[in-house]
Amino acid sequence: MESMTQVAREGARLAAYDDDEPTESSMMQEDTERECARFYVDVASAPETFLGGMRSMGLLRGNDDEMHLLREETIDYLRRGLTIPLGASYTSLDASRPWLLYWMLQALDLLDAFPSDLVAGVRLALKECCAAGSLGFGGNFMQVGHTAPTYAAVLAICILDDDEAFQLLDRDAIYRFFMSLKHPSGGFRVQPDGEIDTRGLYTVLAVASILNILTPELTEGCAKFIADCQTYEGGIGGEPGNEAHGGYAFCGIAALAILGELDAIDLDAFVHWIAARQMRYEGGFQGRTNKLVDACYSFWQGATPAILREAAVRGDLHSSIGALAGVEGLIYDEERMQQYIILCCQQFQGGLRDKPSKRRDQYHTCYALSGLSVAQLGGSKVWGTQTNRLVETDPVYNIEREKLRRAKERFADLPPPVLSESTD
């Protein structure tokens, strides 16, 4: 593992990826590495001006040379997002209300700061997003049902762990909704007449497995659809023939874990692709080949080794990667990724961002913290002070493990779902 001093020394050269023929991509990469180089300084030999700046941001406290997660500041940022109307800059997320609620609830849960005093308000907001006929959840009031906000709403309800919130979930209606979206390819449309991709497939299977409506009819052809989306690079794209992408790769591998069919794809090629996405200098992940580092991929890419590791422990893997998946740090450097998040992605007022040149938002706050959590799974070293340790998230569903268990228990003994509304 490279020390901080080695990383800083590497920054003197940065990355000469352009063979002396600069392109827009190579110049953006160099700019990003320069942004990060300002933070990658060995504290033991750092000038006082640097140390003073780090202390003013709260990353260093007193004479402590351990880097801190800005826990209280981030909790305050997230709670304000749940209680104060969001500004005009959030207009583009008007159709993502369940997502916003999930991102903030999940991040607070990881920080062990569940907002119990706000449960009633969140429950009401989710109720307003119920689609007509209980066919899932829409992105906001009076919007059509869609698999992605349905997934976000169900996860938010699991985090709330509230009896009244669970009453919003009509298993039979959700099952009918999902079956109406089933496509002959094995995938699912995300909404009536919508696209068919790995995101839609994963969100359906995740919800169905929680609600105990994961029937053979629902899962038919799903593993083959994901296998068809694996690319020559080894990663997984959104649709057959698409470029491999970190978010879709997560959706594909998590869906296969739910199905118990991880061996349906070439896992050796997949793991090689994941490992190659960790940026050598920055330490975080990029989402696609030749793209910039982005904190959200700390979860989308970083959860994969944890998924494989836990599948190997259960005996669900039969390929050669099964033996390797249990080796901590072999697929990616968890400690270097934690450094990237804590040093480069925290905003001193609280919240986390894509990279130093970006602004904080709830999405990156959720997935950067989720990436920290999965990097700490299995006893991995917590980088910085021990107070940086987060609550453990489940790498397949990305909610706290105990809440996931309790949610599944609620539905475990319920009868199979009814596809038709008519009765004999």
Side-chain angles (χ1 to χ4, degrees):
M1 183 180 300
E2 293 175 304
S3 69
M4 291 294 288
T5 304
Q6 287 173 311
V7 171
R9 189 180 300 122
E10 184 77 3
R13 152 192 93 71
L14 293 176
Y17 299 134
D18 51 28
D19 295 322
D20 296 322
E21 292 291 339
T23 65
E24 182 178 0
S25 294
S26 68
M27 290 186 287
M28 290 174 67
Q29 176 62 34
E30 289 196 10
D31 288 344
T32 300
E33 292 188 11
R34 288 191 181 93
E35 292 173 17
C36 296
R38 294 184 291 114
F39 297 93
Y40 287 152
V41 176
D42 191 339
V43 172
S45 58
E48 186 55 41
T49 52
F50 172 81
L51 297 176
M54 298 296 265
R55 290 193 182 98
S56 69
M57 289 188 289
L59 293 174
L60 282 173
R61 298 175 185 176
N63 295 320
D64 188 1
D65 63 356
E66 298 286 353
M67 295 296 176
H68 287 256
L69 184 65
L70 303 179
R71 187 179 290 265
E72 295 306 318
E73 295 87 342
T74 297
I75 291 171
D76 181 64
Y77 166 66
L78 294 164
R79 284 185 59 88
R80 281 187 284 114
L82 286 171
T83 55
I84 299 173
L86 299 174
S89 62
Y90 284 85
T91 302
S92 62
L93 291 174
D94 177 69
S96 300
R97 195 176 192 188
W99 280 110
L100 284 162
L101 294 170
Y102 162 66
W103 294 332
M104 290 184 275
L105 289 173
Q106 168 66 355
L108 286 167
D109 230 19
L110 291 174
L111 293 165
D112 198 19
F114 175 71
S116 55
D117 56 319
L118 302 178
V119 169
V122 174
R123 184 175 63 234
L124 177 60
L126 289 170
K127 184 177 181 180
E128 292 177 346
C129 294
C130 287
S134 298
L135 296 180
F137 289 78
N140 210 327
F141 178 65
M142 294 293 288
Q143 292 186 7
V144 68
H146 189 294
T147 67
T150 298
Y151 163 85
V154 171
L155 292 190
I157 288 169
C158 292
I159 295 171
L160 292 179
D161 198 19
D162 171 73
D163 290 339
E164 289 188 54
F166 275 108
Q167 290 175 14
L168 298 175
L169 302 177
D170 183 333
R171 294 170 67 245
D172 289 343
I174 291 174
Y175 184 70
R176 290 194 297 272
F177 175 53
F178 286 167
M179 285 302 297
S180 74
L181 301 174
K182 184 72 176 176
H183 189 265
S185 65
F188 295 85
R189 296 191 182 278
V190 295
Q191 64 182 41
D193 298 321
E195 63 268 29
I196 305 158
D197 58 23
T198 51
R199 173 189 56 154
L201 188 150
Y202 164 69
T203 52
V204 165
L205 296 188
V207 170
S209 60
I210 290 173
L211 301 185
N212 190 25
I213 57 175
L214 199 67
T215 66
E217 293 77 15
L218 194 75
T219 62
E220 183 179 1
C222 287
K224 182 180 184 302
F225 180 85
I226 297 168
D228 289 343
C229 292
Q230 187 170 29
T231 77
Y232 72 93
E233 294 178 276
I236 295 173
E239 302 171 8
N242 282 184
E243 179 185 11
H245 181 284
Y248 292 121
F250 166 80
C251 289
I253 205 72
L256 290 175
I258 291 170
L259 294 168
E261 297 193 50
L262 284 164
D263 293 305
I265 63 170
D266 183 343
L267 281 176
D268 293 305
F270 181 81
V271 168
H272 178 82
W273 181 82
I274 287 287
R277 302 283 70 74
Q278 185 172 26
M279 307 299 281
R280 184 171 184 270
Y281 180 74
E282 302 93 301
F285 282 100
Q286 61 181 185
R288 291 178 285 161
T289 302
N290 204 35
K291 296 294 184 179
L292 300 177
V293 69
D294 185 335
C296 70
Y297 294 109
S298 301
F299 177 76
W300 300 127
Q301 313 280 34
T304 293
I307 291 172
L308 295 177
R309 188 159 54 231
E310 294 183 5
V313 170
R314 293 193 305 268
D316 288 348
L317 285 181
H318 306 293
S319 70
S320 59
I321 198 62
L324 301 178
V327 181
E328 202 170 291
L330 184 64
I331 298 176
Y332 79 107
D333 188 332
E334 291 98 336
E335 190 170 340
R336 283 285 292 115
M337 194 190 73
Q338 292 180 66
Q339 290 173 358
Y340 174 69
I341 293 172
I342 291 174
L343 289 174
C344 299
C345 299
Q346 295 197 90
Q347 195 157 317
F348 72 90
Q349 304 98 326
L352 292 99
R353 58 201 177 193
D354 164 351
K355 56 181 67 68
S357 59
K358 304 294 185 178
R359 300 179 66 177
R360 63 183 177 176
D361 60 68
Q362 290 88 351
Y363 168 84
H364 285 92
T365 298
C366 172
Y367 290 111
L369 292 176
S370 299
L372 274 182
S373 179
V374 294
Q376 295 168 358
L377 289 176
S380 293
K381 181 180 178 182
V382 176
W383 188 79
T385 174
Q386 286 299 306
T387 62
N388 293 344
R389 181 173 288 282
L390 298 173
V391 171
E392 285 194 5
T393 194
D394 184 276
V396 172
Y397 297 87
N398 200 25
I399 56 174
E400 192 265 323
R401 291 183 186 276
E402 181 60 21
K403 289 186 175 179
L404 174 64
R405 185 190 66 78
R406 289 202 293 267
K408 286 188 171 184
E409 278 189 351
R410 284 179 176 267
F411 305 102
D413 297 325
L414 295 182
V418 176
L419 182 57
S420 174
E421 293 186 80
S422 63
T423 57
D424 295 330

mmCIF file of all heavy atoms in Angstrom, residues 236-256:
data_model
loop_
_atom_site.group_PDB
_atom_site.id
_atom_site.type_symbol
_atom_site.label_atom_id
_atom_site.label_comp_id
_atom_site.label_asym_id
_atom_site.label_seq_id
_atom_site.Cartn_x
_atom_site.Cartn_y
_atom_site.Cartn_z
ATOM 1 N N ILE A 236 -20.332 -4.523 -16.748
ATOM 2 C CA ILE A 236 -21.727 -4.703 -17.157
ATOM 3 C C ILE A 236 -22.301 -3.356 -17.570
ATOM 4 O O ILE A 236 -22.111 -2.354 -16.873
ATOM 5 C CB ILE A 236 -22.557 -5.312 -16.006
ATOM 6 C CG1 ILE A 236 -22.070 -6.728 -15.690
ATOM 7 C CG2 ILE A 236 -24.048 -5.331 -16.350
ATOM 8 C CD1 ILE A 236 -22.714 -7.345 -14.461
ATOM 9 N N GLY A 237 -22.990 -3.341 -18.706
ATOM 10 C CA GLY A 237 -23.640 -2.129 -19.183
ATOM 11 C C GLY A 237 -25.115 -2.119 -18.849
ATOM 12 O O GLY A 237 -25.653 -3.070 -18.280
ATOM 13 N N GLY A 238 -25.780 -1.053 -19.225
ATOM 14 C CA GLY A 238 -27.205 -0.923 -18.943
ATOM 15 C C GLY A 238 -28.061 -1.836 -19.788
ATOM 16 O O GLY A 238 -29.085 -2.342 -19.338
ATOM 17 N N GLU A 239 -27.649 -2.056 -21.021
ATOM 18 C CA GLU A 239 -28.374 -2.911 -21.956
ATOM 19 C C GLU A 239 -27.341 -3.702 -22.754
ATOM 20 O O GLU A 239 -26.167 -3.317 -22.813
ATOM 21 C CB GLU A 239 -29.209 -2.062 -22.920
ATOM 22 C CG GLU A 239 -30.224 -1.150 -22.248
ATOM 23 C CD GLU A 239 -30.865 -0.186 -23.236
ATOM 24 O OE1 GLU A 239 -30.630 -0.337 -24.453
ATOM 25 O OE2 GLU A 239 -31.592 0.717 -22.786
ATOM 26 N N PRO A 240 -27.737 -4.803 -23.384
ATOM 27 C CA PRO A 240 -26.795 -5.533 -24.237
ATOM 28 C C PRO A 240 -26.191 -4.609 -25.297
ATOM 29 O O PRO A 240 -26.896 -3.878 -25.979
ATOM 30 C CB PRO A 240 -27.671 -6.619 -24.874
ATOM 31 C CG PRO A 240 -28.762 -6.848 -23.869
ATOM 32 C CD PRO A 240 -29.042 -5.485 -23.290
ATOM 33 N N GLY A 241 -24.866 -4.614 -25.375
ATOM 34 C CA GLY A 241 -24.164 -3.772 -26.341
ATOM 35 C C GLY A 241 -23.727 -2.437 -25.810
ATOM 36 O O GLY A 241 -22.948 -1.732 -26.459
ATOM 37 N N ASN A 242 -24.195 -2.050 -24.616
ATOM 38 C CA ASN A 242 -23.789 -0.770 -24.021
ATOM 39 C C ASN A 242 -22.411 -0.865 -23.375
ATOM 40 O O ASN A 242 -21.951 -1.957 -23.015
ATOM 41 C CB ASN A 242 -24.781 -0.336 -22.959
ATOM 42 C CG ASN A 242 -26.059 0.263 -23.512
ATOM 43 O OD1 ASN A 242 -26.895 0.719 -22.765
ATOM 44 N ND2 ASN A 242 -26.224 0.262 -24.825
ATOM 45 N N GLU A 243 -21.779 0.290 -23.188
ATOM 46 C CA GLU A 243 -20.492 0.375 -22.498
ATOM 47 C C GLU A 243 -20.640 -0.031 -21.034
ATOM 48 O O GLU A 243 -21.645 0.263 -20.381
ATOM 49 C CB GLU A 243 -19.982 1.820 -22.573
ATOM 50 C CG GLU A 243 -18.660 2.065 -21.871
ATOM 51 C CD GLU A 243 -18.260 3.545 -21.870
ATOM 52 O OE1 GLU A 243 -19.114 4.386 -22.226
ATOM 53 O OE2 GLU A 243 -17.108 3.843 -21.511
ATOM 54 N N ALA A 244 -19.628 -0.717 -20.497
ATOM 55 C CA ALA A 244 -19.611 -1.082 -19.079
ATOM 56 C C ALA A 244 -19.608 0.177 -18.221
ATOM 57 O O ALA A 244 -18.902 1.143 -18.510
ATOM 58 C CB ALA A 244 -18.386 -1.938 -18.770
ATOM 59 N N HIS A 245 -20.384 0.159 -17.155
ATOM 60 C CA HIS A 245 -20.608 1.344 -16.326
ATOM 61 C C HIS A 245 -20.738 0.920 -14.866
ATOM 62 O O HIS A 245 -21.385 -0.086 -14.559
ATOM 63 C CB HIS A 245 -21.879 2.052 -16.807
ATOM 64 C CG HIS A 245 -22.239 3.301 -16.072
ATOM 65 N ND1 HIS A 245 -22.794 3.300 -14.820
ATOM 66 C CD2 HIS A 245 -22.115 4.610 -16.428
ATOM 67 C CE1 HIS A 245 -23.012 4.546 -14.417
ATOM 68 N NE2 HIS A 245 -22.603 5.343 -15.375
ATOM 69 N N GLY A 246 -20.150 1.693 -13.964
ATOM 70 C CA GLY A 246 -20.114 1.311 -12.552
ATOM 71 C C GLY A 246 -21.468 1.113 -11.917
ATOM 72 O O GLY A 246 -21.678 0.158 -11.163
ATOM 73 N N GLY A 247 -22.415 2.012 -12.173
ATOM 74 C CA GLY A 247 -23.738 1.877 -11.577
ATOM 75 C C GLY A 247 -24.456 0.643 -12.076
ATOM 76 O O GLY A 247 -25.065 -0.109 -11.304
ATOM 77 N N TYR A 248 -24.404 0.407 -13.385
ATOM 78 C CA TYR A 248 -25.041 -0.775 -13.949
ATOM 79 C C TYR A 248 -24.309 -2.048 -13.531
ATOM 80 O O TYR A 248 -24.933 -3.109 -13.370
ATOM 81 C CB TYR A 248 -25.101 -0.667 -15.469
ATOM 82 C CG TYR A 248 -26.021 0.416 -15.966
ATOM 83 C CD1 TYR A 248 -25.541 1.448 -16.777
ATOM 84 C CD2 TYR A 248 -27.370 0.411 -15.626
ATOM 85 C CE1 TYR A 248 -26.393 2.446 -17.241
ATOM 86 C CE2 TYR A 248 -28.222 1.402 -16.088
ATOM 87 C CZ TYR A 248 -27.732 2.421 -16.887
ATOM 88 O OH TYR A 248 -28.572 3.405 -17.342
ATOM 89 N N ALA A 249 -22.994 -1.957 -13.381
ATOM 90 C CA ALA A 249 -22.230 -3.122 -12.928
ATOM 91 C C ALA A 249 -22.685 -3.541 -11.535
ATOM 92 O O ALA A 249 -22.860 -4.737 -11.257
ATOM 93 C CB ALA A 249 -20.735 -2.809 -12.936
ATOM 94 N N PHE A 250 -22.882 -2.551 -10.661
ATOM 95 C CA PHE A 250 -23.403 -2.883 -9.333
ATOM 96 C C PHE A 250 -24.775 -3.532 -9.437
ATOM 97 O O PHE A 250 -25.047 -4.548 -8.794
ATOM 98 C CB PHE A 250 -23.504 -1.638 -8.449
ATOM 99 C CG PHE A 250 -24.336 -1.884 -7.212
ATOM 100 C CD1 PHE A 250 -23.789 -2.523 -6.114
ATOM 101 C CD2 PHE A 250 -25.678 -1.529 -7.182
ATOM 102 C CE1 PHE A 250 -24.573 -2.805 -4.994
ATOM 103 C CE2 PHE A 250 -26.469 -1.794 -6.064
ATOM 104 C CZ PHE A 250 -25.915 -2.442 -4.978
ATOM 105 N N CYS A 251 -25.660 -2.915 -10.230
ATOM 106 C CA CYS A 251 -27.016 -3.456 -10.362
ATOM 107 C C CYS A 251 -26.971 -4.902 -10.850
ATOM 108 O O CYS A 251 -27.718 -5.760 -10.354
ATOM 109 C CB CYS A 251 -27.834 -2.608 -11.331
ATOM 110 S SG CYS A 251 -28.285 -0.970 -10.674
ATOM 111 N N GLY A 252 -26.100 -5.191 -11.800
ATOM 112 C CA GLY A 252 -26.004 -6.541 -12.334
ATOM 113 C C GLY A 252 -25.500 -7.535 -11.315
ATOM 114 O O GLY A 252 -26.084 -8.610 -11.124
ATOM 115 N N ILE A 253 -24.411 -7.196 -10.624
ATOM 116 C CA ILE A 253 -23.817 -8.155 -9.690
ATOM 117 C C ILE A 253 -24.691 -8.316 -8.456
ATOM 118 O O ILE A 253 -24.821 -9.421 -7.904
ATOM 119 C CB ILE A 253 -22.379 -7.722 -9.313
ATOM 120 C CG1 ILE A 253 -21.546 -8.928 -8.884
ATOM 121 C CG2 ILE A 253 -22.350 -6.664 -8.246
ATOM 122 C CD1 ILE A 253 -21.170 -9.839 -10.019
ATOM 123 N N ALA A 254 -25.343 -7.233 -8.003
ATOM 124 C CA ALA A 254 -26.236 -7.336 -6.844
ATOM 125 C C ALA A 254 -27.473 -8.165 -7.190
ATOM 126 O O ALA A 254 -27.953 -8.960 -6.374
ATOM 127 C CB ALA A 254 -26.643 -5.947 -6.362
ATOM 128 N N ALA A 255 -27.987 -7.987 -8.415
ATOM 129 C CA ALA A 255 -29.137 -8.787 -8.852
ATOM 130 C C ALA A 255 -28.773 -10.265 -8.906
ATOM 131 O O ALA A 255 -29.552 -11.130 -8.475
ATOM 132 C CB ALA A 255 -29.633 -8.305 -10.211
ATOM 133 N N LEU A 256 -27.592 -10.586 -9.427
ATOM 134 C CA LEU A 256 -27.163 -11.982 -9.480
ATOM 135 C C LEU A 256 -26.985 -12.555 -8.079
ATOM 136 O O LEU A 256 -27.261 -13.746 -7.846
ATOM 137 C CB LEU A 256 -25.859 -12.105 -10.272
ATOM 138 C CG LEU A 256 -25.963 -11.872 -11.776
ATOM 139 C CD1 LEU A 256 -24.580 -11.909 -12.417
ATOM 140 C CD2 LEU A 256 -26.883 -12.893 -12.443
#
